[in-house]
Amino acid sequence: MAKTVRISLLALSAGALAGALVLGVVVVRAGSAPDDRSPQPDPAAVWATPSPVGDVRVTAAPGGSATPGGVTGSAATPSPGRPAPADRPGATRVGTRPPVVDHGPRTGDRVALTFDADMTDGMLANLRAGRVRSYANLRIIELLERERVPATFFLTGKWVERYPALTRRLAGNPGFELANHTYGHLAFTPDCHGLPRLPGHRMTEDVARTFQVVEPYGGRQTRYFRFPGLCHDAAALAALAPLGLTVVDGDVVSGDPFATAWRPIVDAVLSKVRPGSVVILHVTEANAAMTDEALPHILRGLRERGLTPAPLSEVLGR
């Protein structure tokens, strides 16, 4: 049976939650974040040393080109000295069914803030047609940078391809980790909140492709993976066995997609968060327009509860 999101504490109807996870509907708020073509600030200017410059260098592969601190062209290879995938957080033995984790140990004071960066073909069509300005919430990233808050970003391959400059910015920040959220946010099980289904024979390739898309950006890459809609079954897990990864669901679902007010998001997080929690939020601004308003209140509430955000790998205890 597919695993689905619990919504008992969310201020969303069942229909709204289904629409939120399809991510094809649009909620637009004045002051949307700019598209990836806007200049991006240097992350080294807002994050403490060590400088991330050495982490984001790439060397172009045939058919592509490289620029200092960035990736252009059709292909690139990581810089020398990058750890092999088997050494990365979340890596498991290739060929074994991946473990599924919801949270870390319930000791200490650390929690993981994770942000999904969804991108579907419908969302790309909205961008091309000008129905939305951006699915990248720069206000969230700027707040995390300014307050030096660690976070883990679950990236879809299509989001990375749409926002290469912003992906470089995330990878260049030593407080951010990068994880995998499929290539195009298709469902891995039937009846997953209305998401179109990915055929079974394409599941392994889809996730492997996303790792390949993210690889050239360097930074703190992981072998963590999150299913769209948190929907998975035995067949989906078996399809990922060749990739040597860990599936991360989460125990605190914020309900931020398509929320129309920030307070229910804050309440959903702070009412459930505990030591070791993995909080699920979204950085897709047009489809999660209240997350940036909720985030300062969430951070304040965590401090009041004596909880400290940390990278996912540290919370899970790699």
Side-chain angles (χ1 to χ4, degrees), residues 33-38 40 117-119 123-124 127 132-138 141 155-170 217 283-286:
D35 203 348
D36 61 296
R37 293 160 184 80
S38 300
Q40 304 293 340
D118 306 343
M119 185 62 74
M123 294 165 69
L124 288 171
L127 289 168
V132 302
R133 288 187 58 191
S134 179
Y135 288 108
N137 196 326
L138 296 184
I141 297 167
L155 307 175
T156 55
K158 290 187 176 182
W159 190 93
V160 170
E161 291 171 346
R162 178 70 190 192
Y163 299 108
L166 189 52
T167 303
R168 289 195 295 273
R169 178 172 173 176
L170 298 178
Y217 291 87
V283 73
T284 45
E285 198 261 348

Side-chain angles (χ1 to χ4, degrees), residues 233-310:
D233 56 17
L237 292 173
L240 302 188
L243 302 180
L245 53 78
T246 296
V247 174
V248 179
D249 284 350
D251 63 322
V252 180
V253 181
S254 70
D256 61 340
F258 300 102
T260 57
W262 60 264
R263 193 176 299 277
I265 301 171
V266 176
D267 292 343
V269 172
L270 297 182
S271 64
K272 293 189 66 177
V273 69
R274 300 168 54 193
S277 281
V278 176
V279 181
I280 303 173
L281 295 155
H282 289 76
V283 73
T284 45
E285 198 261 348
N287 282 349
M290 294 292 118
T291 310
D292 57 53
E293 294 192 28
L295 187 56
H297 302 279
I298 292 172
L299 295 177
R300 184 181 309 114
L302 293 177
R303 288 193 295 268
E304 292 171 352
R305 289 159 174 77
L307 297 174
T308 303

